[in-house]
């Protein structure tokens, strides 16, 4: 199974109902829009707590440009989901009763757990909230899936490549032993273990996704890909830790959502599986900065010492996803990141330049 047209894949979801827990975020809203464009009934459930309108309106008061852009990106997410026909429910998944009521109303056949703090840096600042959003919500989702596992064919968990910890070789695959460190990576790995436990004990069909170094339109999580183009436009330096030789398997959001939909459609009920979903070719931070410099020639590059807490990374091998899901990522950094940066420049000029 190495070449499956996307249109053929989504036909398998035609009669399904997909619920995205914590689905108003960067990954979730892109996934929801793509599901609806494919004709899949989709509900987003989110407490609007992380990267929220209020949070972005009141934080970074001294950075007006960043605030305006982030609020614009967030509002655009809601407008795009609305126009696509996505159902959006403001609900806190930490409340079992509220979540249960939504389950009973929507009756999902596939559930995707996305609830989490999106940044390892922010998770370290607030480990209690990281634990709460990742694991307390998951506990409720698992219990509801256990009670209705004949209805819910697949529970998908958005994990992270950080569960691998420091790479001991140039690449890892799904059988590489995880060695997570830090609250973010460990809560992701604990979530994986809980999924497998419920699968073995209660027969829940589970699917774990491990992405890496995501970038794409309407991200407000300050991933390095966003920080670089934003800093370049604002006249701030692009910080190259350790000279910028660190490797990341940069992945465009379009590739990730393609792979997630393939996994949702092709996952067999009652089975358990794990997939790396990345581009499958690690690149240096310098490569990222070089693309920014081409688009914003006056961008300032500045070296600084490598952060000790950041793991040593590399390539996530994609053999399993290619073979089982027909997943063939099509957005190399030169194409995907360039398109993202050009889009960002356009948004900057429209929102920031118009108010300068």
């Amino acid at each position: 199974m190495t070449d499956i047209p996307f249109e053929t894949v989504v036909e398998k979801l035609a009669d399904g109902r997909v619920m995205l827990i914590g689905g108003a975020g960067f990954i979730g809203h892109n996934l929801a829009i793509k599901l609806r464009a494919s004709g899949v009934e989709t509900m987003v459930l989110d407490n609007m707590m992380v990267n929220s309108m209020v949070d972005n309106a009141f934080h970074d008061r001294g950075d007006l440009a960043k605030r305006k852009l982030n609020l614009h990106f967030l509002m655009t997410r809601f407008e795009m989901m609305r126009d696509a026909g996505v159902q959006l429910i403001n609900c806190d998944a930490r409340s079992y009763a509220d979540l249960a009521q939504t389950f009973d109303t929507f009756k999902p056949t596939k559930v995707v757990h996305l609830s989490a703090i999106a940044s390892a840096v922010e998770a370290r600042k607030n480990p209690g909230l990281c634990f709460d959003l990742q694991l307390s919500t998951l506990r409720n989702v698992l219990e509801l899936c256990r009670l209705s596992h004949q209805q819910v064919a697949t529970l998908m968990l958005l994990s992270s490549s950080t569960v691998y910890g420091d790479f001991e070789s140039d690449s890892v695959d799904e059988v590489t032993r995880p060695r997570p460190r830090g609250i973010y990576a460990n809560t992701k790995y604990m979530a994986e273990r809980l999924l497998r436990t419920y699968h073995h004990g209660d027969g829940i069909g589970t699917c774990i996704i491990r992405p890496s170094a995501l970038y794409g339109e309407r991200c407000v999580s300050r991933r390095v890909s966003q920080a670089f183009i934003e800093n370049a436009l604002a006249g701030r330096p692009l910080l190259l830790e350790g000279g910028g030789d660190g490797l990341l398997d940069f992945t465009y959001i379009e590739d990730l959502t393609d792979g997630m939909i393939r996994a949702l459609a092709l996952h067999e009920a009652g089975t358990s599986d794990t997939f790396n979903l990345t581009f499958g070719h690690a690149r240096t931070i310098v490569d990222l900065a070089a693309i920014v410099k081409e688009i914003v020639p006056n961008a300032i590059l500045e070296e600084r010492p490598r952060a000790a807490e950041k793991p040593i990374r590399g390539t996530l091998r994609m053999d399993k996803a290619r073979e089982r899901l027909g997943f063939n990522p099509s957005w190399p950094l030169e194409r995907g990141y360039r398109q993202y940066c050009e889009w960002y420049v356009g948004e900057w000029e429209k929102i920031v330049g118009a108010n300068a």
Side-chain angles (χ1 to χ4, degrees), residues 52-340:
S52 69
M53 301 291 287
V54 173
D55 184 55
N56 280 276
F58 280 84
H59 288 187
D60 296 307
R61 298 188 186 209
D63 194 338
L64 182 61
K66 178 181 175 182
R67 189 162 72 246
K68 285 182 175 180
L69 271 173
N70 283 358
L71 290 172
H72 168 64
F73 294 160
L74 290 168
M75 183 56 69
T76 303
R77 289 181 185 180
F78 297 133
E79 291 171 349
M80 291 179 71
M81 286 192 287
R82 178 200 63 205
D83 294 345
V86 175
Q87 298 182 55
L88 176 62
I89 302 295
N90 186 357
C91 175
D92 195 331
R94 293 174 296 178
S95 167
Y96 182 85
D98 291 351
L99 187 60
Q101 183 177 1
T102 309
F103 255 70
D104 289 343
T105 301
F106 186 64
K107 294 180 172 55
T109 59
K110 308 267 185 175
V111 177
V112 184
H113 185 276
L114 298 148
S115 176
I117 292 179
S119 162
V121 174
E122 294 302 316
R124 188 170 63 252
K125 292 177 183 176
N126 197 341
L129 182 61
C130 173
F131 189 98
D132 210 22
L133 293 179
Q134 178 71 64
L135 297 177
S136 296
T137 59
L138 182 60
R139 176 263 179 191
N140 291 337
V141 173
L142 283 165
E143 277 297 291
L144 287 167
C145 288
R146 179 179 69 85
L147 295 171
S148 56
H149 71 275
Q150 298 301 322
Q151 167 191 307
V152 179
T154 301
L155 170 57
M156 175 179 284
L157 171 72
L158 201 287
S159 184
S160 168
S161 60
T162 61
V163 300
Y164 292 114
D166 288 330
F167 286 22
E168 293 184 325
S169 61
D170 293 338
S171 63
V172 295
D173 62 15
E174 293 86 349
V175 299
T176 301
R177 181 178 180 181
R179 298 185 303 150
R181 55 187 176 93
I183 185 67
Y184 177 83
N186 273 286
T187 52
K188 289 291 189 181
Y189 189 50
M190 283 188 273
E192 289 191 8
R193 296 292 299 272
L194 285 172
L195 240 70
R196 295 188 185 100
T197 299
Y198 270 75
H199 164 71
H200 292 303
D202 298 283
I204 296 175
T206 60
C207 184
I208 295 165
I209 303 298
R210 293 172 177 166
S212 172
L214 291 168
Y215 65 89
E217 290 80 355
R218 298 172 301 281
C219 180
V220 299
S221 303
R222 289 287 292 176
R223 293 172 168 90
V224 63
S225 49
Q226 180 199 358
F228 269 19
I229 185 61
E230 182 181 290
N231 287 352
L233 291 169
R236 297 188 292 264
L238 282 60
L239 302 178
L240 305 177
E241 294 186 0
D245 63 349
L247 290 166
L248 288 171
D249 198 340
F250 292 104
T251 308
Y252 188 38
I253 188 64
E254 283 294 321
D255 277 335
L256 176 65
T257 53
D258 175 83
M260 291 178 73
I261 290 174
R262 287 174 177 274
L264 281 171
L266 300 175
H267 180 261
E268 296 181 13
T271 64
S272 178
D273 230 325
T274 301
F275 294 100
N276 290 336
L277 288 182
T278 71
F279 185 71
H281 180 199
R283 304 290 295 275
T284 67
I285 303 298
V286 168
D287 291 335
L288 197 74
I291 294 173
V292 175
K293 282 285 284 184
E294 290 179 20
I295 295 170
V296 187
N298 61 349
I300 305 164
L301 306 185
E302 183 178 301
E303 295 187 12
R304 69 172 181 177
R306 193 186 314 278
E309 69 273 11
K310 291 190 176 179
I312 298 169
R313 312 293 290 282
T315 295
L316 279 71
R317 291 202 293 274
M318 301 298 304
D319 308 60
K320 183 177 179 180
R322 287 192 178 97
E323 178 62 29
R324 296 272 301 279
L325 306 178
F327 176 60
N328 289 293
S330 58
W331 292 89
L333 200 64
E334 285 76 11
R335 179 176 172 230
Y337 190 56
R338 184 183 304 279
Q339 175 169 297
Y340 168 63

Side-chain angles (χ1 to χ4, degrees), residues 4-25:
I4 314 171
F6 186 77
E7 295 75 14
T8 302
V9 170
V10 294
E11 287 176 3
K12 297 180 179 294
L13 293 172
D15 298 323
R17 295 176 302 282
V18 180
M19 176 183 283
L20 310 183
I21 309 294

